[in-house]
Amino acid sequence: MTSLERAERLALWIAVALGLLGFAGGLGQRVLPPLPAAAAWPLQAMVIGSGLLAARLARRRAAEIERRRWAALEEPLLTSGEREWAHKEAERARRASGFAFLLAPLMLGYFLAYQFPEGAAPLARALAGTPLLGFVLGLLWERRAGPD
């Protein structure tokens, strides 16, 4: 198992844990003491940064999956069914890794959004969606940077 595969699994487990804690926070059962409104800006930067990092990891994992796919397809004794299966499996793995790496920062933002008191500033509630902005910006940045 490569380090990126381990990072993908860790991201998925982090997403599940933070999603459950965020759900509990939405029901009024906060894990942290209520955060002050002034903490919203630094937390926004943190969750956008986590989205950027997740996009970078997702892109690198996708490149790793592509290398494996084409290495497997170079085998001369593969049947057409096995080649088709290799392509489908690689696409499934790419979608799963992208989902895992996107979900972790989204659940971080979701969790943090519910750690503010009721009636918190809209900026605090926006924490639930801003990791998506970081992820999209990270994907665009990685695309512009070119292949690994």
Coordinates of all heavy atoms in Angstrom, one line a residue, residues 13-100:
W13 N -11.6 8.1 6.8 CA -12.0 7.9 8.2 C -12.1 9.3 9.0 O -13.0 9.4 9.8 CB -10.9 7.1 8.9 CG -11.1 5.6 8.7 CD1 -10.3 4.8 7.8 CD2 -12.1 4.8 9.1 NE1 -10.8 3.6 7.8 CE2 -11.9 3.5 8.6 CE3 -13.2 5.0 10.0 CZ2 -12.8 2.4 8.9 CZ3 -14.0 3.9 10.2 CH2 -13.8 2.7 9.7
I14 N -11.3 10.2 8.6 CA -11.4 11.6 9.2 C -12.8 12.2 8.8 O -13.5 12.8 9.6 CB -10.3 12.5 8.7 CG1 -9.0 12.1 9.5 CG2 -10.5 13.9 9.0 CD1 -7.7 12.7 8.9
A15 N -13.2 12.0 7.5 CA -14.4 12.5 7.0 C -15.6 11.9 7.8 O -16.5 12.6 8.2 CB -14.6 12.3 5.6
V16 N -15.6 10.6 8.0 CA -16.6 9.9 8.8 C -16.7 10.5 10.2 O -17.8 10.8 10.7 CB -16.4 8.4 8.8 CG1 -17.4 7.7 9.7 CG2 -16.7 7.9 7.3
A17 N -15.6 10.5 10.9 CA -15.5 11.0 12.3 C -16.0 12.4 12.4 O -16.9 12.8 13.2 CB -14.1 10.9 12.8
L18 N -15.5 13.3 11.5 CA -15.9 14.7 11.6 C -17.4 14.9 11.1 O -18.1 15.8 11.7 CB -15.0 15.6 10.7 CG -13.6 15.8 11.3 CD1 -12.7 16.5 10.2 CD2 -13.6 16.5 12.6
G19 N -17.8 14.1 10.2 CA -19.2 14.1 9.8 C -20.2 13.8 11.0 O -21.2 14.5 11.2
L20 N -19.8 12.8 11.7 CA -20.6 12.4 12.9 C -20.6 13.5 14.0 O -21.6 13.8 14.6 CB -20.1 11.1 13.5 CG -20.4 9.8 12.6 CD1 -19.7 8.6 13.2 CD2 -21.9 9.6 12.5
L21 N -19.4 14.0 14.2 CA -19.2 15.1 15.2 C -20.0 16.4 14.8 O -20.6 17.1 15.6 CB -17.8 15.4 15.5 CG -17.0 14.3 16.2 CD1 -15.5 14.7 16.2 CD2 -17.5 14.1 17.6
G22 N -19.9 16.7 13.5 CA -20.7 17.8 12.9 C -22.2 17.6 13.1 O -22.9 18.5 13.4
F23 N -22.6 16.4 12.8 CA -24.1 16.1 13.0 C -24.5 16.3 14.4 O -25.5 16.8 14.7 CB -24.3 14.6 12.5 CG -25.8 14.3 12.6 CD1 -26.7 14.8 11.7 CD2 -26.2 13.4 13.5 CE1 -28.0 14.5 11.7 CE2 -27.6 13.0 13.6 CZ -28.5 13.6 12.7
A24 N -23.6 15.8 15.3 CA -23.9 16.0 16.8 C -24.0 17.5 17.1 O -24.8 17.9 17.9 CB -22.9 15.3 17.6
G25 N -23.0 18.3 16.5 CA -23.0 19.7 16.7 C -24.3 20.3 16.2 O -24.8 21.3 16.8
G26 N -24.8 19.9 15.1 CA -26.0 20.4 14.5 C -27.2 20.1 15.4 O -28.2 20.8 15.4
L27 N -27.1 19.0 16.2 CA -28.2 18.7 17.1 C -28.0 19.4 18.5 O -28.8 19.2 19.4 CB -28.2 17.2 17.4 CG -28.6 16.4 16.2 CD1 -28.5 14.9 16.5 CD2 -30.0 16.7 15.7
G28 N -27.0 20.3 18.6 CA -26.7 21.0 19.8 C -25.7 20.4 20.8 O -25.5 20.9 21.9
Q29 N -25.1 19.3 20.4 CA -24.1 18.6 21.2 C -22.7 18.9 20.7 O -22.1 18.2 20.1 CB -24.4 17.1 21.2 CG -25.7 16.7 21.7 CD -26.0 17.1 23.1 OE1 -25.1 16.9 24.0 NE2 -27.2 17.6 23.4
R30 N -22.2 20.1 21.1 CA -20.9 20.5 20.6 C -19.8 19.8 21.3 O -19.9 19.4 22.5 CB -20.7 22.0 20.9 CG -21.5 22.9 20.0 CD -21.1 24.4 20.3 NE -22.0 25.2 19.6 CZ -23.1 25.7 20.1 NH1 -23.4 25.5 21.4 NH2 -23.9 26.5 19.4
V31 N -18.7 19.6 20.6 CA -17.6 18.9 21.2 C -16.6 19.9 21.8 O -16.0 19.7 22.8 CB -16.8 18.1 20.0 CG1 -15.5 17.5 20.5 CG2 -17.7 17.1 19.4
L32 N -16.5 21.1 21.2 CA -15.7 22.1 21.7 C -16.5 23.2 22.4 O -17.7 23.3 22.1 CB -15.0 22.8 20.5 CG -14.1 21.9 19.6 CD1 -13.6 22.8 18.4 CD2 -13.0 21.4 20.3
P33 N -15.9 24.0 23.2 CA -16.7 25.1 23.8 C -17.0 26.0 22.6 O -16.3 26.1 21.6 CB -15.7 25.8 24.8 CG -14.4 25.1 24.6 CD -14.6 23.9 23.8
P34 N -18.1 26.8 22.8 CA -18.5 27.7 21.7 C -17.3 28.6 21.2 O -16.7 29.2 22.1 CB -19.7 28.5 22.2 CG -20.2 27.7 23.3 CD -19.0 26.9 23.9
L35 N -17.1 28.6 20.0 CA -16.0 29.4 19.4 C -16.4 30.9 19.3 O -17.5 31.2 19.0 CB -15.5 28.9 18.1 CG -15.0 27.5 18.1 CD1 -14.8 27.0 16.6 CD2 -13.7 27.4 18.8
P36 N -15.4 31.8 19.5 CA -15.8 33.2 19.4 C -15.9 33.6 17.9 O -15.3 32.9 17.0 CB -14.6 33.9 20.0 CG -13.4 33.0 19.9 CD -14.1 31.6 20.0
A37 N -16.6 34.6 17.6 CA -16.8 35.0 16.2 C -15.5 35.4 15.5 O -15.4 35.2 14.3 CB -17.8 36.2 16.1
A38 N -14.5 35.9 16.3 CA -13.3 36.3 15.7 C -12.5 35.1 15.2 O -11.6 35.2 14.4 CB -12.4 37.0 16.8
A39 N -12.8 33.9 15.6 CA -12.1 32.7 15.1 C -12.6 32.3 13.7 O -12.0 31.4 13.1 CB -12.4 31.5 16.1
A40 N -13.6 32.9 13.2 CA -14.2 32.5 11.9 C -13.2 32.8 10.7 O -13.0 31.9 9.9 CB -15.5 33.2 11.6
W41 N -12.5 33.9 10.7 CA -11.5 34.2 9.6 C -10.4 33.2 9.6 O -10.1 32.7 8.5 CB -11.0 35.6 9.7 CG -12.0 36.6 9.2 CD1 -12.8 37.5 9.8 CD2 -12.4 36.7 7.8 NE1 -13.6 38.2 9.0 CE2 -13.4 37.7 7.7 CE3 -12.0 36.2 6.6 CZ2 -14.0 38.2 6.5 CZ3 -12.6 36.6 5.4 CH2 -13.5 37.6 5.4
P42 N -9.7 33.0 10.7 CA -8.6 32.0 10.7 C -9.1 30.6 10.3 O -8.4 29.9 9.6 CB -8.0 32.0 12.1 CG -8.5 33.3 12.7 CD -9.7 33.7 12.0
L43 N -10.2 30.2 10.8 CA -10.8 28.9 10.4 C -11.1 28.8 9.0 O -11.0 27.8 8.3 CB -12.0 28.6 11.3 CG -11.6 28.3 12.8 CD1 -12.9 28.1 13.6 CD2 -10.7 27.1 12.9
Q44 N -11.6 30.0 8.4 CA -11.9 30.0 6.9 C -10.6 29.7 6.2 O -10.6 28.9 5.2 CB -12.4 31.3 6.5 CG -13.9 31.6 6.9 CD -14.8 30.8 6.0 OE1 -14.4 30.1 5.1 NE2 -16.1 30.8 6.4
A45 N -9.5 30.4 6.6 CA -8.2 30.1 5.9 C -7.8 28.7 6.1 O -7.3 28.1 5.1 CB -7.2 31.1 6.5
M46 N -8.0 28.1 7.2 CA -7.6 26.8 7.5 C -8.4 25.8 6.6 O -7.8 24.9 6.0 CB -7.8 26.4 9.0 CG -7.3 25.0 9.3 SD -7.5 24.5 11.0 CE -9.3 24.1 11.0
V47 N -9.7 25.9 6.5 CA -10.5 25.0 5.7 C -10.2 25.2 4.2 O -10.3 24.2 3.5 CB -12.0 25.0 6.1 CG1 -12.2 24.6 7.5 CG2 -12.6 26.3 5.8
I48 N -10.0 26.4 3.8 CA -9.6 26.6 2.4 C -8.3 25.9 2.1 O -8.1 25.2 1.1 CB -9.6 28.1 2.0 CG1 -11.0 28.6 1.9 CG2 -8.9 28.3 0.7 CD1 -11.2 30.1 1.7
G49 N -7.3 26.1 3.1 CA -6.0 25.4 2.9 C -6.2 23.9 2.9 O -5.5 23.2 2.2
S50 N -7.1 23.4 3.7 CA -7.3 21.9 3.7 C -7.9 21.5 2.4 O -7.6 20.4 1.9 CB -8.2 21.5 4.9 OG -9.5 21.9 4.7
G51 N -8.7 22.3 1.8 CA -9.3 22.0 0.5 C -8.2 22.0 -0.6 O -8.1 21.1 -1.5
L52 N -7.3 22.9 -0.5 CA -6.1 23.0 -1.4 C -5.3 21.7 -1.3 O -4.9 21.1 -2.3 CB -5.3 24.2 -1.2 CG -5.9 25.6 -1.6 CD1 -5.1 26.7 -1.0 CD2 -5.9 25.7 -3.1
L53 N -4.9 21.4 -0.1 CA -4.1 20.2 0.2 C -4.8 18.9 -0.3 O -4.2 18.1 -1.0 CB -3.8 20.0 1.7 CG -3.0 18.8 2.1 CD1 -1.7 18.8 1.4 CD2 -2.9 18.7 3.6
A54 N -6.1 18.8 -0.1 CA -6.9 17.7 -0.5 C -6.9 17.5 -2.0 O -6.7 16.4 -2.6 CB -8.3 17.7 0.0
A55 N -7.0 18.7 -2.7 CA -6.9 18.6 -4.2 C -5.6 18.2 -4.7 O -5.5 17.4 -5.6 CB -7.3 20.0 -4.8
R56 N -4.5 18.6 -4.0 CA -3.2 18.2 -4.4 C -3.0 16.7 -4.2 O -2.5 16.0 -5.1 CB -2.2 19.0 -3.6 CG -0.8 18.7 -4.0 CD 0.2 19.6 -3.2 NE 1.5 19.5 -3.7 CZ 2.1 20.2 -4.6 NH1 1.4 21.2 -5.1 NH2 3.3 20.0 -5.0
L57 N -3.5 16.2 -3.1 CA -3.4 14.8 -2.8 C -4.3 14.0 -3.8 O -3.8 12.9 -4.3 CB -3.8 14.4 -1.4 CG -2.8 14.9 -0.3 CD1 -3.4 14.8 1.1 CD2 -1.5 14.2 -0.4
A58 N -5.4 14.5 -4.1 CA -6.3 13.8 -5.1 C -5.7 13.7 -6.4 O -5.8 12.7 -7.1 CB -7.7 14.5 -5.1
R59 N -5.1 14.8 -6.9 CA -4.4 14.8 -8.2 C -3.3 13.8 -8.2 O -3.1 13.1 -9.2 CB -4.0 16.2 -8.5 CG -3.3 16.3 -9.8 CD -4.2 16.8 -10.9 NE -3.7 16.6 -12.2 CZ -2.6 17.2 -12.8 NH1 -1.9 18.0 -12.1 NH2 -2.3 17.0 -14.0
R60 N -2.5 13.8 -7.2 CA -1.3 12.9 -7.1 C -1.8 11.4 -7.1 O -1.2 10.5 -7.7 CB -0.4 13.2 -6.0 CG 0.3 14.5 -6.2 CD 1.3 14.8 -5.3 NE 2.0 16.0 -5.7 CZ 3.1 16.4 -5.2 NH1 3.7 15.7 -4.2 NH2 3.7 17.5 -5.6
R61 N -2.9 11.2 -6.3 CA -3.4 9.8 -6.3 C -3.9 9.4 -7.6 O -3.8 8.2 -8.0 CB -4.5 9.7 -5.2 CG -5.1 8.4 -5.1 CD -4.3 7.3 -4.4 NE -5.1 6.1 -4.3 CZ -4.8 5.0 -4.8 NH1 -3.7 4.8 -5.5 NH2 -5.6 3.9 -4.6
A62 N -4.6 10.3 -8.3 CA -5.1 10.0 -9.6 C -4.0 9.7 -10.6 O -4.1 8.7 -11.4 CB -6.0 11.2 -10.2
A63 N -2.9 10.4 -10.5 CA -1.7 10.1 -11.4 C -1.2 8.7 -11.0 O -0.8 8.0 -11.9 CB -0.7 11.2 -11.2
E64 N -1.1 8.4 -9.8 CA -0.7 7.1 -9.3 C -1.5 6.0 -9.9 O -1.1 4.9 -10.4 CB -0.6 7.0 -7.8 CG -0.2 5.7 -7.2 CD -0.2 5.8 -5.7 OE1 -1.3 5.5 -5.1 OE2 0.9 6.1 -5.1
I65 N -2.8 6.2 -9.9 CA -3.8 5.2 -10.4 C -3.6 5.0 -11.9 O -3.6 3.9 -12.4 CB -5.2 5.6 -10.0 CG1 -5.5 5.5 -8.5 CG2 -6.3 4.8 -10.8 CD1 -6.7 6.1 -8.0
E66 N -3.4 6.1 -12.6 CA -3.2 6.1 -14.0 C -1.9 5.3 -14.4 O -1.9 4.5 -15.3 CB -3.1 7.5 -14.6 CG -4.4 8.2 -14.7 CD -5.4 7.4 -15.6 OE1 -5.1 7.0 -16.7 OE2 -6.5 7.2 -15.1
R67 N -0.8 5.5 -13.6 CA 0.4 4.8 -13.8 C 0.2 3.3 -13.7 O 0.7 2.5 -14.5 CB 1.5 5.3 -12.9 CG 2.1 6.6 -13.3 CD 3.4 6.9 -12.5 NE 3.1 7.1 -11.1 CZ 2.8 8.2 -10.5 NH1 2.6 9.3 -11.2 NH2 2.6 8.3 -9.2
R68 N -0.5 2.9 -12.6 CA -0.9 1.5 -12.4 C -1.7 0.9 -13.5 O -1.5 -0.2 -14.0 CB -1.6 1.3 -11.1 CG -0.7 1.2 -9.9 CD -1.5 0.7 -8.8 NE -0.7 0.9 -7.6 CZ -1.2 0.9 -6.4 NH1 -2.5 0.6 -6.2 NH2 -0.5 1.1 -5.3
R69 N -2.7 1.7 -14.0 CA -3.6 1.3 -15.0 C -2.8 0.9 -16.3 O -2.9 -0.2 -16.8 CB -4.6 2.3 -15.4 CG -5.4 1.9 -16.6 CD -6.1 3.0 -17.3 NE -6.8 4.0 -16.5 CZ -8.0 4.5 -16.8 NH1 -8.6 4.2 -17.9 NH2 -8.6 5.4 -16.0
W70 N -1.9 1.8 -16.7 CA -1.2 1.6 -18.0 C -0.1 0.6 -17.8 O 0.2 -0.1 -18.8 CB -0.7 3.0 -18.5 CG -1.9 3.8 -18.9 CD1 -2.3 4.9 -18.3 CD2 -2.8 3.6 -19.9 NE1 -3.4 5.4 -18.9 CE2 -3.8 4.6 -19.9 CE3 -2.9 2.6 -20.9 CZ2 -4.8 4.6 -20.8 CZ3 -4.0 2.6 -21.8 CH2 -4.9 3.7 -21.8
A71 N 0.4 0.5 -16.6 CA 1.4 -0.6 -16.4 C 0.8 -2.0 -16.5 O 1.3 -2.9 -17.1 CB 2.1 -0.4 -15.0
A72 N -0.5 -2.1 -16.0 CA -1.2 -3.3 -16.1 C -1.6 -3.6 -17.5 O -1.6 -4.8 -17.9 CB -2.4 -3.3 -15.2
L73 N -2.0 -2.6 -18.2 CA -2.4 -2.8 -19.6 C -1.3 -3.2 -20.6 O -1.6 -3.6 -21.7 CB -3.2 -1.6 -20.1 CG -4.6 -1.4 -19.4 CD1 -5.2 -0.1 -19.8 CD2 -5.5 -2.5 -19.7
E74 N -0.1 -3.0 -20.2 CA 1.0 -3.3 -21.1 C 1.3 -4.8 -21.1 O 2.1 -5.3 -21.9 CB 2.3 -2.6 -20.6 CG 2.2 -1.1 -21.0 CD 3.5 -0.4 -20.5 OE1 4.4 -1.0 -19.9 OE2 3.5 0.8 -20.7
E75 N 0.6 -5.6 -20.2 CA 0.7 -7.0 -20.2 C 0.2 -7.6 -21.5 O -1.0 -7.4 -21.8 CB 0.0 -7.6 -19.0 CG -0.1 -9.1 -18.9 CD 1.3 -9.7 -18.7 OE1 2.1 -9.1 -17.9 OE2 1.6 -10.7 -19.3
P76 N 1.0 -8.3 -22.3 CA 0.6 -8.8 -23.6 C -0.5 -9.9 -23.5 O -1.2 -10.1 -24.5 CB 1.9 -9.2 -24.3 CG 2.8 -9.5 -23.2 CD 2.4 -8.6 -22.0
L77 N -0.6 -10.6 -22.4 CA -1.5 -11.8 -22.4 C -2.9 -11.4 -21.9 O -3.7 -12.3 -21.7 CB -0.8 -12.9 -21.5 CG 0.5 -13.4 -22.1 CD1 1.1 -14.4 -21.1 CD2 0.4 -14.0 -23.5
L78 N -3.1 -10.2 -21.6 CA -4.5 -9.8 -21.1 C -5.5 -10.0 -22.2 O -5.3 -9.7 -23.4 CB -4.5 -8.3 -20.7 CG -3.8 -8.0 -19.4 CD1 -4.0 -6.5 -19.1 CD2 -4.3 -8.8 -18.2
T79 N -6.7 -10.5 -21.8 CA -7.8 -10.6 -22.7 C -8.5 -9.2 -22.8 O -8.2 -8.3 -22.0 CB -8.8 -11.6 -22.2 OG1 -9.4 -11.2 -21.0 CG2 -8.1 -13.0 -22.1
S80 N -9.4 -9.1 -23.8 CA -10.1 -7.8 -23.9 C -11.0 -7.5 -22.7 O -11.1 -6.4 -22.3 CB -10.9 -7.8 -25.2 OG -11.9 -8.8 -25.1
G81 N -11.5 -8.6 -22.1 CA -12.3 -8.4 -20.9 C -11.5 -8.0 -19.7 O -11.9 -7.1 -18.9
E82 N -10.3 -8.5 -19.6 CA -9.4 -8.0 -18.5 C -8.9 -6.6 -18.7 O -8.8 -5.8 -17.8 CB -8.2 -9.0 -18.4 CG -8.5 -10.4 -17.9 CD -7.4 -11.3 -18.1 OE1 -6.6 -11.2 -19.1 OE2 -7.3 -12.2 -17.2
R83 N -8.7 -6.2 -20.0 CA -8.4 -4.8 -20.3 C -9.5 -3.9 -19.9 O -9.3 -2.8 -19.3 CB -8.0 -4.7 -21.7 CG -6.7 -5.3 -22.1 CD -6.4 -5.1 -23.6 NE -5.3 -5.9 -24.0 CZ -4.0 -5.7 -23.7 NH1 -3.7 -4.6 -23.1 NH2 -3.1 -6.5 -24.1
E84 N -10.7 -4.3 -20.3 CA -11.9 -3.5 -20.0 C -12.0 -3.4 -18.5 O -12.3 -2.3 -17.9 CB -13.1 -4.1 -20.6 CG -14.4 -3.3 -20.4 CD -15.6 -3.9 -21.1 OE1 -15.4 -4.6 -22.1 OE2 -16.7 -3.6 -20.6
W85 N -11.9 -4.5 -17.7 CA -12.0 -4.4 -16.3 C -10.9 -3.5 -15.7 O -11.2 -2.8 -14.7 CB -11.8 -5.9 -15.7 CG -11.9 -5.9 -14.2 CD1 -13.1 -5.9 -13.5 CD2 -10.9 -5.8 -13.3 NE1 -12.8 -5.9 -12.2 CE2 -11.5 -5.8 -12.0 CE3 -9.5 -5.7 -13.4 CZ2 -10.7 -5.7 -10.9 CZ3 -8.7 -5.6 -12.3 CH2 -9.3 -5.7 -11.0
A86 N -9.7 -3.5 -16.2 CA -8.6 -2.7 -15.7 C -9.0 -1.2 -15.9 O -8.8 -0.4 -14.9 CB -7.3 -3.0 -16.4
H87 N -9.6 -0.9 -17.0 CA -10.0 0.5 -17.2 C -11.1 0.9 -16.2 O -11.1 2.0 -15.6 CB -10.5 0.7 -18.6 CG -9.4 0.9 -19.6 ND1 -8.5 1.9 -19.6 CD2 -9.1 0.1 -20.7 CE1 -7.6 1.7 -20.6 NE2 -8.0 0.7 -21.3
K88 N -12.1 0.0 -16.1 CA -13.2 0.3 -15.2 C -12.8 0.4 -13.7 O -13.2 1.3 -13.0 CB -14.3 -0.7 -15.3 CG -15.1 -0.6 -16.6 CD -16.2 -1.7 -16.7 CE -16.9 -1.6 -18.0 NZ -18.0 -2.6 -18.1
E89 N -11.9 -0.5 -13.3 CA -11.4 -0.4 -12.0 C -10.6 0.8 -11.7 O -10.7 1.4 -10.6 CB -10.5 -1.7 -11.7 CG -9.9 -1.8 -10.3 CD -11.0 -1.8 -9.2 OE1 -12.1 -2.2 -9.5 OE2 -10.7 -1.5 -8.1
A90 N -9.8 1.3 -12.7 CA -9.0 2.5 -12.5 C -10.0 3.7 -12.4 O -9.7 4.6 -11.5 CB -8.1 2.7 -13.7
E91 N -11.0 3.7 -13.2 CA -12.0 4.9 -13.1 C -12.7 4.9 -11.7 O -12.9 5.9 -11.1 CB -13.0 4.8 -14.2 CG -12.4 5.2 -15.6 CD -11.8 6.6 -15.5 OE1 -12.4 7.5 -15.0 OE2 -10.6 6.7 -16.0
R92 N -13.0 3.7 -11.3 CA -13.7 3.6 -10.0 C -12.7 4.1 -8.9 O -13.1 4.8 -8.0 CB -14.1 2.1 -9.7 CG -14.9 2.0 -8.4 CD -14.7 0.6 -7.7 NE -13.3 0.3 -7.4 CZ -12.6 0.8 -6.4 NH1 -13.1 1.6 -5.5 NH2 -11.3 0.4 -6.2
A93 N -11.5 3.7 -8.9 CA -10.5 4.1 -7.9 C -10.3 5.6 -8.0 O -10.1 6.2 -6.9 CB -9.2 3.3 -8.2
R94 N -10.3 6.2 -9.2 CA -10.1 7.6 -9.3 C -11.3 8.4 -8.7 O -11.1 9.3 -7.9 CB -10.0 8.0 -10.7 CG -8.6 7.7 -11.3 CD -8.5 8.2 -12.7 NE -8.7 9.7 -12.7 CZ -8.4 10.5 -13.7 NH1 -7.9 10.0 -14.8 NH2 -8.6 11.8 -13.6
R95 N -12.5 7.9 -8.9 CA -13.7 8.6 -8.4 C -13.7 8.4 -6.8 O -14.0 9.4 -6.1 CB -14.9 8.0 -8.9 CG -15.3 8.5 -10.3 CD -16.7 8.1 -10.8 NE -16.9 6.6 -10.7 CZ -16.6 5.8 -11.6 NH1 -16.1 6.2 -12.8 NH2 -16.9 4.5 -11.5
A96 N -13.3 7.2 -6.3 CA -13.3 7.0 -4.9 C -12.3 7.9 -4.2 O -12.6 8.4 -3.1 CB -13.1 5.5 -4.6
S97 N -11.1 8.0 -4.8 CA -10.1 8.8 -4.1 C -10.4 10.2 -4.2 O -10.2 10.9 -3.2 CB -8.7 8.5 -4.8 OG -8.6 9.1 -6.0
G98 N -11.0 10.7 -5.3 CA -11.4 12.1 -5.3 C -12.5 12.4 -4.3 O -12.4 13.5 -3.6
F99 N -13.4 11.5 -4.2 CA -14.5 11.7 -3.2 C -13.9 11.7 -1.8 O -14.3 12.6 -1.0 CB -15.5 10.5 -3.4 CG -16.6 10.6 -2.4 CD1 -17.6 11.6 -2.5 CD2 -16.7 9.7 -1.3 CE1 -18.6 11.6 -1.6 CE2 -17.7 9.7 -0.4 CZ -18.7 10.7 -0.5
A100 N -13.0 10.8 -1.4 CA -12.5 10.7 -0.1 C -11.7 12.0 0.2 O -11.8 12.5 1.3 CB -11.6 9.5 0.0

